[in-house]
């Protein structure tokens, strides 16, 4: 937690801003990487702030405008989303190219190492990228100059140990400080007596240990075990998925384009389906719509039918990652494929695509939806596009749920 979410940001961001300590024998005018200054820093902060509505609520606290708030108690989770979620895209046209590619190596390695379940091939990629990041940091920033020796902090060296530590101790996210920090916060909330704080704290911790021991010895005492996983008014559809209200009470027509997509699927896979009776002569199809879908990992994805996202400052949760199963349970609009050249240059950290609207309509299975992702608008070569990133550490958000099987089409290219 502290290394990736506090120490590394505390090194890179001041370097990019040109506010890092400068030796008397050094000259900041030679720092070609110090680009987040003046109006550029203000514009960057505005871009971060503008991304907030596009980060789903399940991503927790969004990063605040760093230009205004970075010295006002910026949280570790804000740094995590900022550095390893947004910056690969937002810094694409700001950082010099070689520095941007160097940073993308760090982002890719951190995204791999932050998972609860890591494939061996992915771990090799992460270890290699960390090693390359350290070596190139010396070449690009430190430049082997004595007056810049203070750039080489212990946090840079520590990155090189991540790969081996995962092999010997398992995924390091399982031993992260996040859990302890949350526990400390919970215990502080429970301390309501201003006198004898340490004695009070010890007593609260003792009671919690007693409670946990009883639950382990007598699971039947845990009332949460007998509660339904889903609300009473939901509709379970198997596999840990459930449809959540609001819900239409009767069928309503789709658009013509949506009807065509559904009709095409039925003709291909279910030519004898009785659902053909619900198609109008215009091509529209009669459906009953649900507003939300609960996923096995605990996230909730909203459909266009959910009106909540029309509210000002509402955070969008309509974008989802799915596999290529072809079973009709959800009508979606697929984004275009990523810019392949940019994806390769960024080591699979900058996934830039376009929204296709009605042209991308397709029918998929709800069980193929894996997670809710962020799709943040940006400009690329003057064209309006969106870039995608997932919540860091998503697969440990609910350890009792579903572990995403990451399939990366660029593995072979990274290995070459």
């Amino acid at each position: 937690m502290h290394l990736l979410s506090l120490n590394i940001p505390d090194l890179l961001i001041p370097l990019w801003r040109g506010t890092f300590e400068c030796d008397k024998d050094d000259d900041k005018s030679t720092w070609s990487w110090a680009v987040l200054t003046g109006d550029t820093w203000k514009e960057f902060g505005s871009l971060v702030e503008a991304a907030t509505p596009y980060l789903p609520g399940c991503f927790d606290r969004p990063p605040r405008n760093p230009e205004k708030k970075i010295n006002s108690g910026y949280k570790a989770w804000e740094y995590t989303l900022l550095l390893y979620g947004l910056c690969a895209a937002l810094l694409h046209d700001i950082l010099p190219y070689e520095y941007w590619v160097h940073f993308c190596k760090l982002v890719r390695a951190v995204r791999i190492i932050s998972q609860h379940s890591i494939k061996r091939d992915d771990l090799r990629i992460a270890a290699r990228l960390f090693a390359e990041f350290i070596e190139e940091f010396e070449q690009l920033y430190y430049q082997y100059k004595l007056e810049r020796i203070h750039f080489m902090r212990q946090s840079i060296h520590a990155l090189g140990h991540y790969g081996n530590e995962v092999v010997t101790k398992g995924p390091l996210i399982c031993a992260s400080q996040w859990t302890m920090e949350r526990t400390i916060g919970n215990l502080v909330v429970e301390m309501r007596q201003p006198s004898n704080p340490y004695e009070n704290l010890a007593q609260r911790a003792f009671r919690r240990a007693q409670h946990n021991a009883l639950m382990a010895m007598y699971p039947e005492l845990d009332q949460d075990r007998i509660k339904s996983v889903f609300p009473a008014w939901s509709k379970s559809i198997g596999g840990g998925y459930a449809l959540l209200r609001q819900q239409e009470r009767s069928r309503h027509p789709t658009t013509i384009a949506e009807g065509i997509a559904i009709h095409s699927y039925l003709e291909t896979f279910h030519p004898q389906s009785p659902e053909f009776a619900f198609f109008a002569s215009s091509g529209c199809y009669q459906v009953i719509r649900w507003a939300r879908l609960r996923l096995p990992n605990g996230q909730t994805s909203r459909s266009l039918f959910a009106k909540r996202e029309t509210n000002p400052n509402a955070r969008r949760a309509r974008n989802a990652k799915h596999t290529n199963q072809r079973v009709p349970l959800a009508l979606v609009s697929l984004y275009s494929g990523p810019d392949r050249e940019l994806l390769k240059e960024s080591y699979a950290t900058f996934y830039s695509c376009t929204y296709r609207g009605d042209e991308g309509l397709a029918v998929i299975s709800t069980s193929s939806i894996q997670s809710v992702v962020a799709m943040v608008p940006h400009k690329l070569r003057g064209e309006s596009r969106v870039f995608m990133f997932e919540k860091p550490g998503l697969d440990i958000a609910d350890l009792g749920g579903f572990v995403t099987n990451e399939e990366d089409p660029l593995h072979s290219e990274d290995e070459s």
Side-chain angles (χ1 to χ4, degrees), residues 178-192 200-201 204-205 208:
W178 294 108
T179 305
M180 180 59 70
E181 294 287 350
R182 174 57 63 86
T183 300
I184 292 172
N186 291 340
L187 290 172
V188 169
V189 170
E190 294 176 11
M191 293 172 56
R192 303 192 180 189
N200 190 4
L201 176 62
R204 298 306 304 177
R208 183 172 294 190

Side-chain angles (χ1 to χ4, degrees), residues 330-345:
L331 180 64
V332 300
S333 179
L334 302 176
Y335 288 90
S336 70
D339 184 307
R340 300 293 299 181
E341 181 179 353
L342 189 59
L343 192 65
K344 183 176 180 180
E345 290 177 352

Side-chain angles (χ1 to χ4, degrees), residues 178-237:
W178 294 108
T179 305
M180 180 59 70
E181 294 287 350
R182 174 57 63 86
T183 300
I184 292 172
N186 291 340
L187 290 172
V188 169
V189 170
E190 294 176 11
M191 293 172 56
R192 303 192 180 189
Q193 292 183 352
S195 62
N196 302 322
Y198 295 107
E199 183 178 353
N200 190 4
L201 176 62
Q203 186 64 26
R204 298 306 304 177
F206 178 66
R207 289 188 180 182
R208 183 172 294 190
Q210 287 180 315
H211 177 271
N212 291 341
L214 284 173
M215 293 300 103
M217 291 186 291
Y218 304 101
E220 61 272 15
L221 295 178
D222 187 359
Q223 295 298 312
D224 290 336
R225 292 179 66 253
I226 62 177
K227 291 182 179 179
S228 174
V229 178
F230 306 118
W233 36 261
S234 64
K235 181 177 181 180
S236 175
I237 54 178

Side-chain angles (χ1 to χ4, degrees), residues 71-93:
N71 295 320
S72 302
Y74 219 68
K75 304 297 184 181
W77 185 247
E78 292 180 274
Y79 278 122
T80 299
L81 290 182
L82 174 65
L83 211 65
Y84 309 117
L86 296 174
C87 274
L90 299 185
L91 294 177
H92 175 246
D93 293 324

